[in-house]
Amino acid sequence: MRIKSRSGPQEPEIKGDAKCATVAAASIVAKVHRDALLVALDHVYPNYGFAEHKGYATPQHIAALGAHGPCAEHRRAFWRVKAAWDLLPGFAALGGDVEPDPA
């Protein structure tokens, strides 16, 4: 992944968190921050269980997508979200401008 706002050379480091303490620390900070954001998002959208599954495609999260459709915060490029989005009447055109994630 390239940082678009950074000019100059960039080299990917495969398994960088296992090779560099700084990368490992940044990875932990990013995950803790992301988890906190999803706990806060759970208060806005309690039907999805974000505080429990942290956005991962658990059976609970997949069931919530099926029952409620995606919320505004869902990443429409993720294929499961896009599929749920496309099932909502009149909403398929809104999600059609992104490529689905292979995940």
Coordinates of all heavy atoms in Angstrom, one line a residue:
M1 N 0.8 -1.2 0.0 CA 0.0 0.0 0.0 C 0.9 1.2 0.0 O 1.8 1.3 0.8 CB -0.9 0.0 1.2 CG -1.7 1.2 1.4 SD -2.8 1.1 2.8 CE -4.3 0.6 2.0
R2 N 0.6 2.2 -0.9 CA 1.4 3.4 -1.0 C 0.7 4.5 -0.3 O -0.5 4.6 -0.3 CB 1.6 3.8 -2.4 CG 2.5 2.8 -3.2 CD 2.9 3.3 -4.6 NE 3.5 4.6 -4.6 CZ 4.7 4.8 -4.3 NH1 5.5 3.9 -3.9 NH2 5.2 6.1 -4.4
I3 N 1.5 5.4 0.3 CA 0.9 6.6 1.0 C 0.9 7.7 -0.1 O 2.0 8.2 -0.5 CB 1.7 7.0 2.2 CG1 1.7 5.8 3.2 CG2 1.2 8.3 2.8 CD1 2.7 6.0 4.4
K4 N -0.2 8.1 -0.6 CA -0.3 9.0 -1.7 C 0.2 10.4 -1.4 O 0.7 11.1 -2.2 CB -1.7 9.1 -2.2 CG -2.2 7.8 -2.8 CD -3.7 7.9 -3.2 CE -4.2 6.5 -3.7 NZ -5.6 6.5 -4.0
S5 N 0.1 10.8 -0.1 CA 0.5 12.1 0.3 C 2.0 12.2 0.5 O 2.6 13.3 0.7 CB -0.2 12.6 1.6 OG 0.1 11.7 2.6
R6 N 2.7 11.1 0.5 CA 4.2 11.1 0.7 C 4.9 11.0 -0.7 O 4.7 10.1 -1.4 CB 4.5 9.8 1.5 CG 6.0 9.5 1.5 CD 6.6 9.5 2.9 NE 7.9 9.0 3.0 CZ 9.0 9.5 2.5 NH1 9.0 10.6 1.8 NH2 10.2 8.9 2.7
S7 N 5.7 12.0 -0.9 CA 6.5 11.9 -2.2 C 7.8 11.2 -1.8 O 8.2 11.0 -0.7 CB 6.8 13.3 -2.7 OG 7.6 14.0 -1.7
G8 N 8.5 10.7 -2.9 CA 9.7 10.0 -2.7 C 9.5 8.5 -2.7 O 8.4 8.0 -2.8
P9 N 10.6 7.8 -2.6 CA 10.5 6.3 -2.7 C 9.8 5.7 -1.5 O 9.9 6.2 -0.4 CB 12.0 5.9 -2.8 CG 12.8 7.0 -2.2 CD 12.0 8.2 -2.5
Q10 N 9.1 4.6 -1.8 CA 8.5 3.8 -0.7 C 8.7 2.4 -1.1 O 8.5 1.9 -2.2 CB 7.0 4.1 -0.7 CG 6.6 5.5 -0.3 CD 5.1 5.8 -0.3 OE1 4.4 4.9 0.2 NE2 4.7 6.9 -0.8
E11 N 9.1 1.6 -0.1 CA 9.3 0.2 -0.2 C 8.4 -0.6 0.7 O 8.4 -0.4 1.9 CB 10.8 -0.2 0.1 CG 11.8 0.5 -0.8 CD 11.8 -0.1 -2.2 OE1 11.5 -1.3 -2.3 OE2 12.1 0.6 -3.1
P12 N 7.7 -1.6 0.1 CA 6.8 -2.4 1.0 C 7.7 -3.3 1.8 O 8.8 -3.7 1.4 CB 6.0 -3.2 0.0 CG 6.8 -3.2 -1.3 CD 7.6 -1.9 -1.3
E13 N 7.3 -3.6 3.0 CA 8.0 -4.5 3.9 C 7.0 -5.6 4.3 O 6.1 -5.4 5.1 CB 8.5 -3.8 5.1 CG 9.4 -4.6 6.0 CD 10.7 -5.0 5.4 OE1 11.4 -4.1 4.8 OE2 11.0 -6.2 5.4
I14 N 7.2 -6.8 3.6 CA 6.4 -7.9 3.9 C 6.6 -8.4 5.4 O 7.8 -8.5 5.8 CB 6.6 -9.1 3.0 CG1 6.6 -8.6 1.5 CG2 5.7 -10.3 3.2 CD1 5.2 -8.0 1.1
K15 N 5.6 -8.6 6.1 CA 5.7 -9.0 7.5 C 6.5 -8.0 8.3 O 7.2 -8.3 9.2 CB 6.3 -10.4 7.7 CG 5.6 -11.5 6.9 CD 4.6 -12.2 7.7 CE 4.0 -13.3 6.9 NZ 2.8 -13.8 7.5
G16 N 6.2 -6.7 8.0 CA 7.0 -5.6 8.6 C 6.8 -5.6 10.2 O 7.8 -5.2 10.9
D17 N 5.6 -5.9 10.7 CA 5.4 -5.9 12.1 C 6.3 -7.0 12.8 O 6.6 -6.8 14.0 CB 4.0 -6.1 12.5 CG 3.3 -7.3 11.9 OD1 3.9 -7.9 10.9 OD2 2.3 -7.7 12.4
A18 N 6.7 -8.0 12.1 CA 7.6 -9.0 12.8 C 9.0 -8.6 12.7 O 9.9 -9.2 13.4 CB 7.4 -10.4 12.1
K19 N 9.4 -7.6 11.8 CA 10.7 -7.3 11.6 C 11.1 -5.9 12.2 O 12.3 -5.6 12.4 CB 11.0 -7.2 10.1 CG 10.8 -8.4 9.3 CD 11.0 -8.2 7.9 CE 10.7 -9.5 7.1 NZ 10.8 -9.2 5.6
C20 N 10.1 -5.1 12.6 CA 10.4 -3.7 13.0 C 9.5 -3.4 14.2 O 8.3 -3.4 14.0 CB 10.2 -2.8 11.8 SG 10.4 -1.0 12.3
A21 N 10.1 -3.0 15.3 CA 9.3 -2.7 16.5 C 8.4 -1.5 16.2 O 7.2 -1.4 16.7 CB 10.2 -2.4 17.7
T22 N 8.8 -0.5 15.4 CA 8.0 0.7 15.1 C 6.8 0.3 14.3 O 5.7 0.8 14.6 CB 8.8 1.7 14.3 OG1 10.0 2.0 15.1 CG2 8.1 3.0 14.1
V23 N 6.9 -0.6 13.3 CA 5.8 -1.0 12.5 C 4.8 -1.8 13.4 O 3.6 -1.7 13.3 CB 6.3 -1.8 11.3 CG1 5.1 -2.4 10.6 CG2 7.1 -1.0 10.4
A24 N 5.4 -2.7 14.3 CA 4.5 -3.5 15.2 C 3.7 -2.6 16.1 O 2.5 -2.8 16.3 CB 5.4 -4.4 16.0
A25 N 4.4 -1.5 16.7 CA 3.7 -0.6 17.6 C 2.6 0.2 16.8 O 1.5 0.3 17.3 CB 4.7 0.4 18.2
A26 N 2.9 0.6 15.6 CA 1.9 1.4 14.8 C 0.7 0.5 14.5 O -0.4 0.9 14.5 CB 2.6 1.9 13.5
S27 N 1.0 -0.8 14.2 CA -0.1 -1.7 13.9 C -1.0 -1.9 15.1 O -2.2 -1.9 15.0 CB 0.5 -3.1 13.5 OG -0.5 -4.0 13.3
I28 N -0.4 -2.0 16.3 CA -1.2 -2.1 17.5 C -2.0 -0.9 17.8 O -3.2 -0.9 18.1 CB -0.3 -2.5 18.7 CG1 0.3 -3.9 18.6 CG2 -1.1 -2.3 20.1 CD1 1.4 -4.2 19.5
V29 N -1.4 0.3 17.7 CA -2.1 1.6 17.9 C -3.2 1.7 16.9 O -4.4 2.1 17.3 CB -1.1 2.8 17.8 CG1 -1.9 4.1 17.7 CG2 -0.1 2.8 18.9
A30 N -3.0 1.4 15.6 CA -4.1 1.5 14.6 C -5.2 0.5 15.0 O -6.4 0.9 14.8 CB -3.5 1.1 13.3
K31 N -5.0 -0.7 15.4 CA -6.0 -1.6 15.7 C -6.8 -1.2 16.9 O -8.1 -1.2 16.9 CB -5.5 -3.0 15.9 CG -6.6 -4.0 16.2 CD -6.1 -5.4 16.3 CE -7.2 -6.5 16.5 NZ -8.5 -6.0 16.8
V32 N -6.1 -0.7 18.0 CA -6.8 -0.3 19.2 C -7.7 0.9 18.8 O -8.8 1.0 19.3 CB -5.8 0.1 20.3 CG1 -6.4 0.8 21.5 CG2 -5.1 -1.2 20.8
H33 N -7.2 1.9 18.0 CA -7.9 3.0 17.6 C -9.2 2.6 16.8 O -10.3 3.1 17.0 CB -7.1 4.0 16.8 CG -7.8 5.2 16.4 ND1 -8.2 6.2 17.2 CD2 -8.1 5.6 15.1 CE1 -8.8 7.2 16.6 NE2 -8.8 6.8 15.3
R34 N -9.0 1.7 15.8 CA -10.1 1.3 15.0 C -11.1 0.6 15.9 O -12.3 0.8 15.7 CB -9.6 0.3 14.0 CG -10.6 -0.3 13.1 CD -10.0 -1.3 12.1 NE -11.0 -1.9 11.3 CZ -11.7 -2.9 11.6 NH1 -11.6 -3.5 12.8 NH2 -12.6 -3.4 10.8
D35 N -10.7 -0.3 16.8 CA -11.7 -0.9 17.7 C -12.5 0.1 18.5 O -13.7 -0.1 18.7 CB -11.0 -1.9 18.6 CG -10.5 -3.1 17.9 OD1 -10.8 -3.3 16.7 OD2 -9.8 -4.0 18.5
A36 N -11.8 1.2 19.0 CA -12.5 2.2 19.7 C -13.5 2.9 18.9 O -14.6 3.3 19.3 CB -11.5 3.2 20.3
L37 N -13.2 3.2 17.6 CA -14.1 3.8 16.7 C -15.3 2.9 16.5 O -16.5 3.4 16.4 CB -13.4 4.1 15.3 CG -12.4 5.2 15.3 CD1 -11.7 5.2 14.0 CD2 -13.0 6.5 15.7
L38 N -15.1 1.6 16.4 CA -16.3 0.7 16.1 C -17.1 0.6 17.4 O -18.4 0.5 17.3 CB -15.8 -0.6 15.6 CG -15.4 -0.6 14.2 CD1 -14.4 -1.7 13.8 CD2 -16.6 -0.6 13.3
V39 N -16.5 0.7 18.6 CA -17.4 0.7 19.8 C -18.2 1.9 19.8 O -19.4 1.9 20.1 CB -16.5 0.6 21.0 CG1 -17.2 0.9 22.3 CG2 -15.8 -0.8 21.1
A40 N -17.6 3.1 19.4 CA -18.4 4.3 19.4 C -19.5 4.2 18.3 O -20.6 4.7 18.5 CB -17.5 5.5 19.1
L41 N -19.2 3.6 17.2 CA -20.1 3.5 16.1 C -21.3 2.6 16.5 O -22.4 2.7 16.0 CB -19.4 2.9 14.8 CG -20.2 3.0 13.5 CD1 -20.5 4.4 13.1 CD2 -19.4 2.3 12.4
D42 N -21.0 1.6 17.4 CA -22.1 0.8 17.9 C -23.2 1.5 18.6 O -24.3 1.1 18.6 CB -21.4 -0.3 18.9 CG -22.4 -1.3 19.3 OD1 -22.8 -2.2 18.4 OD2 -22.8 -1.4 20.5
H43 N -22.8 2.7 19.2 CA -23.9 3.5 19.9 C -24.8 4.2 18.8 O -25.9 4.5 19.1 CB -23.2 4.6 20.8 CG -22.5 4.0 21.9 ND1 -23.1 3.3 23.0 CD2 -21.2 3.9 22.2 CE1 -22.2 2.9 23.8 NE2 -21.0 3.2 23.4
V44 N -24.2 4.5 17.6 CA -25.0 5.1 16.6 C -25.8 4.1 15.8 O -27.0 4.4 15.5 CB -24.0 5.8 15.6 CG1 -24.8 6.5 14.5 CG2 -23.2 6.9 16.3
Y45 N -25.3 2.9 15.6 CA -25.9 1.8 14.9 C -26.0 0.6 15.7 O -25.2 -0.4 15.5 CB -25.2 1.5 13.6 CG -25.2 2.7 12.6 CD1 -24.0 3.4 12.4 CD2 -26.3 3.1 11.9 CE1 -23.9 4.5 11.6 CE2 -26.2 4.2 11.0 CZ -25.0 4.9 10.8 OH -25.0 5.9 10.0
P46 N -26.8 0.5 16.8 CA -26.7 -0.7 17.7 C -27.2 -2.0 17.0 O -26.9 -3.0 17.6 CB -27.7 -0.2 18.8 CG -28.6 0.8 18.2 CD -27.8 1.5 17.2
N47 N -27.9 -2.0 15.9 CA -28.4 -3.2 15.3 C -27.3 -4.1 14.7 O -27.6 -5.2 14.4 CB -29.4 -2.9 14.2 CG -30.7 -2.3 14.8 OD1 -31.0 -2.5 15.9 ND2 -31.4 -1.5 14.0
Y48 N -26.1 -3.5 14.5 CA -25.1 -4.3 13.8 C -24.1 -5.0 14.7 O -23.3 -5.8 14.3 CB -24.3 -3.3 12.9 CG -25.2 -2.8 11.8 CD1 -25.8 -1.6 11.9 CD2 -25.4 -3.5 10.6 CE1 -26.6 -1.1 10.9 CE2 -26.3 -3.1 9.6 CZ -26.9 -1.8 9.8 OH -27.7 -1.4 8.8
G49 N -24.0 -4.6 16.0 CA -23.1 -5.3 16.9 C -21.6 -5.0 16.7 O -20.7 -5.8 17.0
F50 N -21.3 -3.7 16.2 CA -19.9 -3.4 15.9 C -19.0 -3.5 17.2 O -17.8 -3.8 17.0 CB -19.9 -1.9 15.4 CG -20.4 -1.7 14.0 CD1 -21.4 -0.8 13.8 CD2 -19.9 -2.5 13.0 CE1 -21.9 -0.6 12.5 CE2 -20.4 -2.3 11.7 CZ -21.4 -1.3 11.5
A51 N -19.6 -3.2 18.3 CA -18.7 -3.3 19.6 C -18.2 -4.7 19.8 O -17.2 -4.9 20.4 CB -19.5 -2.8 20.8
E52 N -19.0 -5.7 19.3 CA -18.6 -7.1 19.5 C -17.7 -7.6 18.4 O -16.6 -8.2 18.7 CB -19.8 -8.0 19.7 CG -20.6 -7.7 20.9 CD -21.8 -8.6 21.0 OE1 -21.7 -9.8 20.6 OE2 -22.8 -8.2 21.6
H53 N -18.0 -7.4 17.2 CA -17.3 -8.1 16.1 C -16.3 -7.1 15.4 O -15.5 -7.6 14.6 CB -18.2 -8.7 15.0 CG -19.1 -7.7 14.4 ND1 -18.7 -6.7 13.6 CD2 -20.5 -7.6 14.5 CE1 -19.8 -6.0 13.2 NE2 -20.8 -6.5 13.7
K54 N -16.3 -5.9 15.8 CA -15.3 -4.9 15.3 C -15.3 -4.8 13.8 O -14.2 -4.5 13.2 CB -13.9 -5.1 15.9 CG -13.8 -5.3 17.4 CD -14.2 -4.0 18.1 CE -13.9 -4.1 19.6 NZ -14.8 -4.9 20.3
G55 N -16.4 -5.1 13.1 CA -16.4 -5.0 11.7 C -16.0 -6.2 10.9 O -16.1 -6.2 9.7
Y56 N -15.6 -7.2 11.6 CA -15.2 -8.4 10.9 C -16.4 -9.2 10.4 O -17.5 -9.1 11.0 CB -14.3 -9.3 11.8 CG -12.9 -8.7 12.0 CD1 -12.7 -8.1 13.2 CD2 -11.9 -8.8 11.0 CE1 -11.4 -7.5 13.4 CE2 -10.7 -8.2 11.2 CZ -10.4 -7.6 12.4 OH -9.2 -7.0 12.6
A57 N -16.3 -10.0 9.4 CA -17.4 -10.7 8.8 C -17.8 -11.9 9.6 O -17.7 -13.0 9.1 CB -17.1 -11.1 7.3
T58 N -18.2 -11.7 10.8 CA -18.7 -12.8 11.7 C -20.1 -13.2 11.2 O -20.8 -12.4 10.5 CB -18.7 -12.3 13.1 OG1 -19.7 -11.3 13.3 CG2 -17.4 -11.9 13.6
P59 N -20.6 -14.3 11.6 CA -22.0 -14.7 11.3 C -23.0 -13.6 11.8 O -24.0 -13.3 11.1 CB -22.2 -16.0 12.0 CG -20.8 -16.6 12.0 CD -19.9 -15.5 12.2
Q60 N -22.7 -13.0 13.0 CA -23.6 -12.0 13.5 C -23.6 -10.8 12.6 O -24.7 -10.2 12.3 CB -23.1 -11.6 14.9 CG -23.9 -10.4 15.5 CD -23.2 -9.8 16.7 OE1 -22.0 -10.0 16.9 NE2 -23.9 -8.9 17.4
H61 N -22.5 -10.4 12.1 CA -22.4 -9.2 11.3 C -23.1 -9.5 9.9 O -23.8 -8.6 9.4 CB -20.9 -8.8 11.1 CG -20.8 -7.4 10.4 ND1 -19.5 -6.9 10.2 CD2 -21.6 -6.5 10.0 CE1 -19.6 -5.7 9.7 NE2 -20.9 -5.5 9.5
I62 N -22.9 -10.6 9.4 CA -23.5 -11.0 8.1 C -25.0 -11.1 8.2 O -25.7 -10.6 7.4 CB -22.9 -12.3 7.6 CG1 -21.4 -12.2 7.2 CG2 -23.7 -12.9 6.4 CD1 -20.7 -13.4 7.1
A63 N -25.5 -11.6 9.4 CA -26.9 -11.6 9.6 C -27.5 -10.2 9.8 O -28.6 -10.0 9.3 CB -27.2 -12.5 10.9
A64 N -26.8 -9.3 10.4 CA -27.2 -8.0 10.6 C -27.3 -7.3 9.2 O -28.2 -6.5 9.0 CB -26.3 -7.2 11.5
L65 N -26.3 -7.5 8.4 CA -26.4 -6.9 7.0 C -27.6 -7.4 6.3 O -28.3 -6.6 5.6 CB -25.1 -7.3 6.2 CG -23.9 -6.5 6.4 CD1 -22.7 -7.1 5.7 CD2 -24.1 -5.1 5.9
G66 N -27.9 -8.7 6.4 CA -29.1 -9.3 5.8 C -30.4 -8.7 6.3 O -31.3 -8.4 5.6
A67 N -30.4 -8.5 7.6 CA -31.7 -8.0 8.3 C -31.9 -6.5 8.1 O -33.0 -6.1 7.9 CB -31.6 -8.4 9.8
H68 N -30.8 -5.8 8.1 CA -31.0 -4.3 8.2 C -30.4 -3.6 6.9 O -30.5 -2.4 6.8 CB -30.3 -3.7 9.4 CG -30.7 -4.4 10.7 ND1 -32.0 -4.2 11.2 CD2 -30.1 -5.2 11.5 CE1 -32.1 -4.9 12.3 NE2 -31.0 -5.5 12.5
G69 N -29.7 -4.4 6.1 CA -28.9 -3.7 5.0 C -27.8 -3.0 5.6 O -27.6 -2.8 6.8
P70 N -26.9 -2.5 4.7 CA -25.7 -1.7 5.2 C -26.1 -0.4 5.7 O -27.1 0.2 5.3 CB -24.8 -1.6 4.0 CG -25.7 -1.9 2.8 CD -26.9 -2.7 3.3
C71 N -25.4 0.1 6.7 CA -25.5 1.5 7.2 C -24.6 2.4 6.4 O -23.8 2.0 5.6 CB -25.3 1.6 8.7 SG -23.5 1.4 9.2
A72 N -24.7 3.7 6.6 CA -23.9 4.7 5.9 C -22.4 4.5 6.1 O -21.6 4.8 5.2 CB -24.3 6.1 6.3
E73 N -22.0 3.9 7.2 CA -20.6 3.7 7.5 C -20.0 2.4 6.9 O -18.8 2.3 7.0 CB -20.4 3.7 9.0 CG -20.9 4.9 9.7 CD -20.3 6.2 9.3 OE1 -19.1 6.2 8.9 OE2 -21.0 7.2 9.3
H74 N -20.8 1.5 6.4 CA -20.3 0.3 5.8 C -19.5 0.6 4.6 O -19.8 1.5 3.8 CB -21.4 -0.7 5.5 CG -21.8 -1.5 6.6 ND1 -22.9 -1.3 7.4 CD2 -21.2 -2.7 7.1 CE1 -23.0 -2.2 8.3 NE2 -22.0 -3.1 8.2
R75 N -18.4 -0.1 4.4 CA -17.5 0.0 3.3 C -18.1 -0.7 2.1 O -18.1 -1.9 2.0 CB -16.1 -0.6 3.6 CG -15.1 -0.4 2.6 CD -13.7 -0.9 3.1 NE -13.8 -2.1 3.9 CZ -13.2 -3.2 3.5 NH1 -12.5 -3.3 2.5 NH2 -13.4 -4.3 4.3
R76 N -18.7 0.0 1.2 CA -19.4 -0.6 0.1 C -18.6 -1.4 -0.9 O -19.1 -2.2 -1.7 CB -20.2 0.5 -0.7 CG -21.4 1.0 0.1 CD -22.1 2.0 -0.6 NE -21.3 3.2 -0.8 CZ -21.7 4.3 -1.4 NH1 -22.9 4.4 -2.0 NH2 -21.0 5.3 -1.5
A77 N -17.3 -1.2 -0.9 CA -16.4 -2.0 -1.7 C -16.3 -3.4 -1.3 O -15.9 -4.3 -2.1 CB -15.0 -1.3 -1.8
F78 N -16.6 -3.7 0.0 CA -16.5 -5.1 0.5 C -17.7 -5.9 -0.1 O -18.8 -5.4 -0.1 CB -16.6 -5.1 2.0 CG -16.6 -6.5 2.6 CD1 -15.5 -7.3 2.4 CD2 -17.6 -6.9 3.5 CE1 -15.5 -8.6 3.0 CE2 -17.5 -8.1 4.1 CZ -16.5 -9.0 3.8
W79 N -17.4 -7.0 -0.7 CA -18.4 -7.7 -1.5 C -19.7 -8.0 -0.7 O -20.8 -8.0 -1.3 CB -17.8 -8.9 -2.2 CG -17.5 -10.1 -1.3 CD1 -16.4 -10.4 -0.7 CD2 -18.4 -11.2 -1.0 NE1 -16.5 -11.6 0.0 CE2 -17.8 -12.1 -0.2 CE3 -19.8 -11.5 -1.4 CZ2 -18.4 -13.2 0.3 CZ3 -20.3 -12.6 -0.9 CH2 -19.7 -13.5 -0.1
R80 N -19.6 -8.4 0.5 CA -20.8 -8.7 1.3 C -21.6 -7.5 1.5 O -22.9 -7.6 1.4 CB -20.4 -9.3 2.6 CG -19.9 -10.7 2.5 CD -19.7 -11.3 4.0 NE -19.0 -12.5 4.0 CZ -19.5 -13.7 3.8 NH1 -20.8 -13.9 3.6 NH2 -18.7 -14.8 3.9
V81 N -21.0 -6.4 1.7 CA -21.8 -5.1 1.9 C -22.4 -4.7 0.6 O -23.6 -4.3 0.5 CB -20.9 -4.0 2.5 CG1 -21.6 -2.7 2.5 CG2 -20.4 -4.4 3.9
K82 N -21.6 -4.8 -0.5 CA -22.1 -4.4 -1.8 C -23.3 -5.3 -2.2 O -24.3 -4.8 -2.7 CB -21.1 -4.5 -2.9 CG -21.6 -4.1 -4.2 CD -20.5 -3.9 -5.2 CE -21.0 -3.5 -6.6 NZ -22.4 -3.4 -6.9
A83 N -23.2 -6.6 -1.9 CA -24.3 -7.5 -2.2 C -25.6 -7.1 -1.4 O -26.7 -7.1 -1.9 CB -23.9 -8.9 -1.9
A84 N -25.4 -6.8 -0.1 CA -26.5 -6.4 0.7 C -27.1 -5.0 0.3 O -28.3 -4.8 0.2 CB -26.1 -6.3 2.2
W85 N -26.2 -4.1 -0.1 CA -26.6 -2.8 -0.6 C -27.4 -2.9 -1.9 O -28.4 -2.3 -2.1 CB -25.3 -2.0 -0.9 CG -25.6 -0.5 -1.1 CD1 -25.8 0.1 -2.3 CD2 -25.7 0.5 -0.1 NE1 -26.0 1.4 -2.1 CE2 -25.9 1.7 -0.8 CE3 -25.5 0.5 1.3 CZ2 -26.1 2.9 -0.1 CZ3 -25.6 1.7 1.9 CH2 -25.9 2.9 1.2
D86 N -27.0 -3.8 -2.8 CA -27.7 -4.0 -4.1 C -29.1 -4.6 -3.9 O -29.9 -4.4 -4.8 CB -26.9 -4.9 -5.0 CG -25.6 -4.2 -5.5 OD1 -25.5 -3.0 -5.4 OD2 -24.7 -4.9 -6.1
L87 N -29.3 -5.2 -2.8 CA -30.7 -5.8 -2.5 C -31.7 -4.7 -2.1 O -32.9 -5.0 -2.1 CB -30.6 -6.9 -1.5 CG -29.8 -8.2 -1.9 CD1 -29.7 -9.1 -0.7 CD2 -30.5 -8.8 -3.1
L88 N -31.2 -3.6 -1.6 CA -32.1 -2.5 -1.2 C -32.7 -1.8 -2.4 O -32.1 -1.4 -3.3 CB -31.3 -1.5 -0.3 CG -30.8 -2.0 1.0 CD1 -29.9 -1.0 1.7 CD2 -31.9 -2.5 1.9
P89 N -34.1 -1.7 -2.4 CA -34.7 -1.0 -3.5 C -34.2 0.4 -3.7 O -34.2 1.2 -2.8 CB -36.2 -1.0 -3.1 CG -36.3 -2.0 -2.0 CD -35.0 -2.1 -1.3
G90 N -33.8 0.7 -4.9 CA -33.4 2.0 -5.3 C -32.0 2.4 -4.9 O -31.5 3.4 -5.2
F91 N -31.3 1.5 -4.2 CA -29.9 1.8 -3.7 C -28.8 1.2 -4.6 O -27.6 1.5 -4.4 CB -29.8 1.4 -2.3 CG -30.5 2.2 -1.3 CD1 -31.8 2.0 -0.9 CD2 -29.9 3.4 -0.8 CE1 -32.5 2.8 -0.1 CE2 -30.5 4.2 0.1 CZ -31.8 3.9 0.5
A92 N -29.1 0.3 -5.5 CA -28.0 -0.3 -6.3 C -27.2 0.7 -7.0 O -26.0 0.5 -7.1 CB -28.6 -1.3 -7.2
A93 N -27.8 1.7 -7.5 CA -27.0 2.7 -8.3 C -26.0 3.5 -7.4 O -25.0 3.9 -7.8 CB -28.0 3.7 -8.9
L94 N -26.3 3.6 -6.1 CA -25.4 4.3 -5.2 C -24.2 3.5 -4.9 O -23.2 4.1 -4.6 CB -26.2 4.7 -3.9 CG -27.4 5.6 -4.0 CD1 -28.1 5.7 -2.7 CD2 -26.9 7.0 -4.5
G95 N -24.3 2.2 -4.9 CA -23.1 1.4 -4.6 C -22.4 0.9 -5.8 O -21.4 0.2 -5.7
G96 N -22.8 1.2 -7.0 CA -22.3 0.7 -8.2 C -21.0 1.3 -8.7 O -20.4 0.8 -9.7
D97 N -20.5 2.3 -8.0 CA -19.3 3.0 -8.5 C -18.0 2.6 -7.9 O -17.0 3.2 -8.0 CB -19.5 4.6 -8.2 CG -19.6 4.9 -6.8 OD1 -20.0 4.0 -6.0 OD2 -19.4 6.1 -6.4
V98 N -18.1 1.4 -7.2 CA -16.9 0.9 -6.5 C -16.6 -0.5 -6.9 O -17.6 -1.2 -7.2 CB -17.0 1.0 -4.9 CG1 -17.0 2.4 -4.5 CG2 -18.2 0.3 -4.5
E99 N -15.4 -0.9 -6.9 CA -15.0 -2.3 -7.2 C -15.1 -3.1 -5.9 O -14.6 -2.7 -4.9 CB -13.6 -2.4 -7.7 CG -13.5 -1.8 -9.1 CD -14.3 -2.5 -10.2 OE1 -14.2 -3.8 -10.1 OE2 -14.9 -1.9 -11.0
P100 N -15.7 -4.3 -6.0 CA -15.8 -5.1 -4.8 C -14.4 -5.6 -4.3 O -13.5 -5.9 -5.1 CB -16.6 -6.3 -5.2 CG -17.0 -6.1 -6.6 CD -16.3 -4.9 -7.1
D101 N -14.2 -5.6 -3.0 CA -13.0 -6.2 -2.4 C -13.0 -7.7 -2.6 O -14.0 -8.3 -2.5 CB -12.9 -6.0 -0.9 CG -12.5 -4.5 -0.6 OD1 -12.1 -3.8 -1.5 OD2 -12.7 -4.2 0.6
P102 N -11.8 -8.3 -2.8 CA -11.8 -9.8 -3.0 C -12.0 -10.5 -1.7 O -12.3 -11.7 -1.7 CB -10.4 -10.1 -3.6 CG -9.6 -8.9 -3.2 CD -10.5 -7.7 -3.1
A103 N -11.9 -9.8 -0.6 CA -12.0 -10.5 0.8 C -13.3 -11.1 1.1 O -14.4 -10.6 0.8 CB -11.6 -9.5 1.9

